[in-house]
Amino acid sequence: MSSVTRSRRQVRLSRALGIALTPKAVKHFEKRPYPPGEHGRSRRRTESDYAVRLREKQRLRAQYALREKQLRAAYDKARTLDGLTGETMVELLETRLDALVLRAGFARTILQARQAVVHRHILVDGKLVDRPSFKVKPGQTIQVKPKMQAATPYQVAAAGAHRDVLPAVPGYLDVQLEKLSAVLVRKPARAEIPVQCEVNLVVEYYAR
């Protein structure tokens, strides 16, 4: 799939879900703040409880660009842990390596962050990790591989070029952007994770 086609799909998905998934989608969203399709401008008919829960689940899944199986696995894991299941699920997703690469500002979108990991550009505590789902633990350091830091995309990132389109760096990350390095200082808390989602509806969707 070409980058143009992928970008268009992300814009269309953004409009369908009512959230901007990429910086490019933000611009389209400002021009067309309604769902895609010929009936997108008309007022959305009253939705069933199932439809509302499904859309919220799809929102969460899209923001982390996960497969359904991956999101379900996060839900199942969260159910076994202490705390509210929905909040715990998002906290688990947020400690994925690709999510933290994005939050640190090393990439512009979650898909770019995942590509950086898969292409073996990211180190955790000095060791190469190429699994986007890798769970980063508090105290661990994430860094762009030194030999890749001179590459243009990372030089752009180190200059802070992505900060204008990304949320502020959350308190659970200590980022040294010029060094393309970040430390997960503690576990994320749901209230500070920059994800748009009514997690209780996602839990209701899976618990039905």
Side-chain angles (χ1 to χ4, degrees):
M1 183 189 302
S2 72
S3 60
V4 173
T5 301
R6 188 180 298 112
S7 178
R8 285 175 179 164
R9 286 185 60 180
Q10 287 295 99
V11 168
R12 187 173 179 84
L13 181 58
S14 294
R15 290 173 58 203
L17 296 176
I19 51 173
L21 298 172
T22 65
K24 187 171 288 187
V26 172
K27 297 178 182 178
H28 285 267
F29 219 68
E30 290 170 351
K31 295 177 183 176
R32 304 183 183 89
Y34 46 81
E38 62 177 307
H39 301 298
R41 292 175 185 266
S42 61
R43 183 163 46 174
R44 189 189 295 269
R45 67 179 183 276
T46 302
E47 295 180 301
S48 66
D49 288 345
Y50 172 79
V52 171
R53 292 167 185 158
L54 173 62
R55 188 174 69 251
E56 209 61 30
K57 187 266 295 183
Q58 296 292 64
R59 277 183 162 196
L60 180 59
R61 181 182 160 198
Q63 287 173 86
Y64 286 103
L66 299 175
R67 296 190 301 274
E68 175 61 30
K69 184 177 179 181
Q70 293 171 304
L71 187 60
R72 178 70 199 222
Y75 166 76
D76 289 339
K77 172 78 172 175
R79 288 181 60 203
T80 70
L81 302 174
D82 293 335
L84 297 173
T85 298
E87 293 187 2
T88 302
M89 176 170 58
V90 177
E91 290 160 12
L92 286 172
L93 294 174
E94 189 65 11
T95 56
R96 286 174 55 99
L97 180 55
D98 54 357
L100 293 176
V101 167
L102 175 65
R103 301 288 181 245
F106 302 164
R108 198 171 177 86
T109 68
I110 188 64
L111 294 178
Q112 286 182 6
R114 182 163 303 159
Q115 188 176 53
V117 176
V118 171
H119 287 182
R120 303 167 69 85
H121 295 173
I122 304 297
L123 306 176
V124 178
D125 284 348
K127 296 181 180 178
L128 194 63
V129 177
D130 58 5
R131 286 191 298 111
S133 62
F134 178 87
K135 296 297 180 189
V136 181
K137 297 182 178 127
Q140 290 191 308
T141 299
I142 304 162
Q143 184 179 28
V144 175
K145 189 162 60 174
K147 66 191 281 186
M148 290 304 305
Q149 290 187 11
T152 299
Y154 296 117
Q155 285 292 299
V156 168
H162 303 332
R163 292 265 56 100
D164 62 327
V165 297
L166 294 175
V169 176
Y172 45 87
L173 273 180
D174 179 15
V175 179
Q176 291 184 292
L177 197 53
E178 69 283 358
K179 295 182 180 179
L180 294 169
S181 177
V183 177
L184 179 64
V185 295
R186 57 179 169 78
K187 292 172 67 175
R190 171 64 188 107
E192 57 187 344
I193 297 172
V195 165
Q196 298 178 52
C197 178
E198 293 290 338
V199 292
N200 59 308
L201 295 179
V202 180
V203 172
E204 288 175 9
Y205 172 85
Y206 281 123
R208 73 192 189 284

